Structures are given as C-alpha cells and as structure tokens.
C-alpha cells in the first residue's frame, strides 16, 4: 500500500493560524530577552561604576541605534508579557476553543502593537 504523504513540505505555502504565530513569536521574544539581559546588565554595571561612567552611559542613549535596541528589547518584553498572560489564562481552561483562541491571539497582537507604539514614543 502506497502512502500519499508529502515528501517535501513547502513552509512558504503553509498558512499558520494566529494561535501558532502567537506561540512561535512568544518563544522568539523569550530568546530575544535572553540576549537582552546581557546588554541590560552591562549597561547597569557601566552606569554604577562611577559618576563619569554614568554620564557616559547616559550619553549612549542619544545614539539612534541604542534607542532602537532599547525599543526592541522593551517591545519583546511587552509582547512576551502579554502573550505569557494569555498562555496562563489558557492554562486555567479558558480560551481553549479554536474561535476564542484565535480571538485572544489577535487581541494579544493588537495590545502588543499598542504597547510597542507607546514604548516607541517614550524612548524617542
């Protein structure tokens, strides 16, 4: 009996549901935050070394690239927090049906975009 299974999956033609995208991006934001911790600890260490190093660290934030990195870190943190709360709510037995899961994923995307815009205004 010959099985009709695909030999090669073309990932560009597969459409993931919003719930899968939310879950994948939640993991990606966690990895981003893992690397961001090193950057933030370095900045904290530099700022606490002396008053001169605090002034030097503070002047770093005038650089557009540093502002973009900080915005990216805060956006990843906000997304991870919002979708993490969504996952915790799902662990309690709510939003387990497909329709409510998709709606909660879309709401999490919308909240994350609003959070990202607010953080962008605050950073710049």
């Amino acid at each position: 009996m010959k099985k009709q299974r695909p030999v090669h999956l073309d990932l560009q033609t597969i459409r993931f549901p919003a719930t899968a995208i939310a879950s994948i991006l939640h993991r990606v934001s966690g990895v981003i935050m893992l690397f961001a911790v090193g950057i933030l600890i370095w900045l904290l260490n530099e700022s606490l070394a002396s008053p001169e190093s605090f002034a030097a660290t503070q002047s770093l934030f005038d650089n557009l690239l540093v502002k973009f990195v900080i915005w990216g870190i805060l956006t990843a943190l906000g997304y991870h927090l919002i979708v993490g709360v969504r996952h915790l709510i799902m662990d309690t037995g709510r939003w387990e049906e497909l329709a409510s899961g998709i709606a909660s994923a879309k709401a999490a995307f919308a909240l994350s975009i609003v959070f990202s815009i607010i953080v962008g205004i605050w950073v710049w």
Side-chain angles (χ1 to χ4, degrees):
M1 178 189 221
K2 187 175 181 182
K3 294 183 180 180
Q4 298 289 34
R5 297 171 71 179
V7 177
H8 173 67
L9 287 177
D10 188 9
L11 294 178
Q12 294 176 346
T13 61
I14 297 174
R15 297 234 345 125
F16 290 110
T19 53
I21 295 170
S23 181
I24 292 167
L25 289 177
H26 184 252
R27 292 171 191 233
V28 169
S29 67
V31 171
I32 291 170
M33 287 190 320
L34 175 70
F35 291 108
V37 166
I39 295 169
L40 295 175
I41 288 176
W42 175 75
L43 284 171
L44 179 65
N45 184 43
E46 288 296 313
S47 70
L48 295 177
S50 68
E52 294 81 21
S53 67
F54 176 78
T57 304
Q58 199 172 23
S59 69
L60 278 176
F61 288 93
D62 294 334
N63 187 346
L64 186 64
L65 180 63
V66 173
K67 286 183 179 183
F68 182 74
V69 168
I70 296 299
W71 174 76
I73 289 171
L74 292 174
T75 298
L77 175 66
Y79 179 81
H80 197 78
L81 178 69
I82 291 167
V83 178
V85 169
R86 176 185 171 267
H87 280 295
L88 287 174
I89 292 171
M90 289 176 69
D91 286 343
T92 64
R94 295 167 180 82
W95 299 342
E96 289 182 339
E97 293 79 26
L98 185 60
S100 60
I102 291 172
S104 67
K106 289 180 180 179
F109 290 146
L111 285 172
S112 297
I113 290 169
V114 169
F115 180 82
S116 178
I117 291 169
I118 290 170
V119 165
I121 292 169
W122 180 65
V123 168
W124 273 283

